[in-house]
Amino acid sequence: MRRTSTRPLPTDPDTVERRSALRTIRRVLPYLWPEGQTWVKVRVVLAMAALVLAKVATVAVPAFFGWAVDALAPKAGAESPAYLLIGSAVGLVVAYGAVRVAGVGFNQLRDAIFARVGQRALRRLALETFRHIHALSLRYHLTRKTGGLSRIIERGVKGVEFLLRFLLFSIGPLALELAMVCVIFALAFGGGYLAVVAATIVAYVAFTFRVTEWRVKVRRKMNEEDTTANQRAIDSLLNFETVKYFGAERREAERYDSAMQGYERAAVTTSLSLAGLNFGQSFIITVGLVGVMVMGALAVQDGTFTVGQFTMINAYMVQITLPLNFLGTVYREIRQALVDMGEMFDLLEVPPEVADKPGATPLQVNGGRIAFDEVKFAYDPDRPILKGISFAVEAGQTVAVVGPSGSGKSTIGRLLFRFYDVAAGRLSIDGQDVRDVTQESLRAQIGVVPQDTVLFNDSIGYNIAYGRPDATREQVEAVARSAQIHDFIQSLPQGYDTQVGERGLKLSGGEKQRVGIARTLLKNPPILLLDEATSALDSETEQGILDALRAMGQGRSVITIAHRLSTVVHADQIVVLEAGEVVERGTHDALLAAGGRYAGMWARQQSEQAEDGADTAGDDAGAAARIA
């Protein structure tokens, strides 16, 4: 019988971090050896071969240098012709230069071969992250912090190529080079030299790892402060007008500066610790270098070693200094890349709240009948929003949903579009439960005009054509005329190529809403969801738009969510919601005749409109008197 472990998950930060690092490495390694991509494997093998050749050439450089020195030194008792000695020395010097060039050349060849592998991995992971974020639920996006999220993605994606390169070309090759140098010291100079070199390497590595572990924690704190500062900056810029309305520039600057102060403290600590790390590394290397050089000098004095061998010892010690000095940087950057990518992989492991079922089929719209059957829903379990509502939109009908704020009107639209799934009951289109069909096919059949239209920072033409990217210019202009915005666009210096600014801020609320209506008209779906679609329009423009929407709704199933009842009097059925329940339903005339909740709302709005009209007339009369 299999036993199930009941051990609690570790809570120690270091243990959790190590597990996260191992998870990150496991996630990244497939990019080095992906299934079905032979070209990637070939490039990795060729890059590794170039790396090994580069290390062999690099390790051979001091040997050729030492032999060249010995060739130039006079040999006692030998009377070789000068030209032979010079020729031998020149040949060794040329060979010395050749192996140096070979070492650099093979390293560059390695980078050139691997570049496409690293960049392809970066691209694939960036795309995976982008798709995953779009797959996350509306609930996640309502609570996200855009600035911090962008920073996490930026650091994580950039860390991919770096981590792959350093895992493949730094740690293993560094160990290989140090091992080769140790073997040379043991064979060419003796066990004593090997012991000093090995002790130097061990001390250096231990010191570097210990200090770097501490520095990584400081660096993580620095990243957190950087993320906070970036989040505050982005949030403040997105709310530029609000900041101006309340004269809060100084307050926003102070909030941003408070985060930057934390970043500054962490950055200073990082810089100071780097100075200490560099000094400690140099001290350890220098002690080891002096130790073997003293041993070599004594050996030269007693005739055991030649001057060339002494030079070779020095050259090898200097040579291992470079990779050892690089070790601290490599280890720190790998640890930091693991931390950055760990945050991104944490994001990738956030499950979508709404996902297609295995075997989900495309939605087939035959008439467009929409049915809510005892639908219940709550954003928070302790606060139910819809409490078992039932109503149907027959094929080709227009049904309006009205009610006071907080009654659940907008929630109906979000459930229809599957931003959320119903908690209980059933929501179906032509008898197909929306949870059983693919989200892509469902949303392709529904056109939405939201209350708050948000536009891309691109041209007006691009934003209208977003409803159907393959639409012609004539089709774009046709729907713009229907949305009564064509004349306005034509009056602009750049016409349909006019840039609308971030989130469409260069346009007024009414202009943005008409662009939103135009792109939905262009999509031409069989089902329409109008969520306060004319709330930002003046009365004259609203009437024209309502006529266009009514014409568009012919033969389509339409759900209109409205606050102003005057915009829904034409609906085939009006559903009145209150506190998440259907309290009335019927046509406009029938509901007025019933004298219930709807009739009361209608009377109140008519009274408010009459008062507004009287106030406007009075203001106009006053203005005329002042002018007179």
Side-chain angles (χ1 to χ4, degrees), residues 514-569:
R514 279 179 280 174
V515 170
I517 291 169
R519 68 185 179 191
T520 302
L521 290 171
L522 187 62
K523 185 179 180 181
N524 198 25
I527 297 172
L528 277 178
L529 172 62
L530 309 178
D531 187 358
E532 301 281 3
T534 61
S535 61
L537 303 177
D538 59 84
S539 299
E540 182 177 350
T541 303
E542 180 184 52
Q543 189 56 49
I545 294 296
L546 286 174
D547 292 340
L549 290 175
R550 288 192 193 102
M552 182 185 178
Q554 295 299 316
R556 292 178 171 83
S557 302
V558 182
I559 294 181
T560 299
I561 297 170
H563 174 71
R564 283 188 288 186
L565 302 183
S566 59
T567 64
V568 298
V569 295

Side-chain angles (χ1 to χ4, degrees), residues 136-144 353-354 377-381 414 419-421:
L136 292 177
S137 65
L138 179 63
R139 192 191 306 274
Y140 173 85
H141 285 279
L142 291 176
T143 58
R144 75 171 188 234
E353 185 177 335
V354 177
F377 178 77
Y379 296 105
D380 186 321
R414 290 174 173 178
F419 282 145
Y420 302 93
D421 278 332

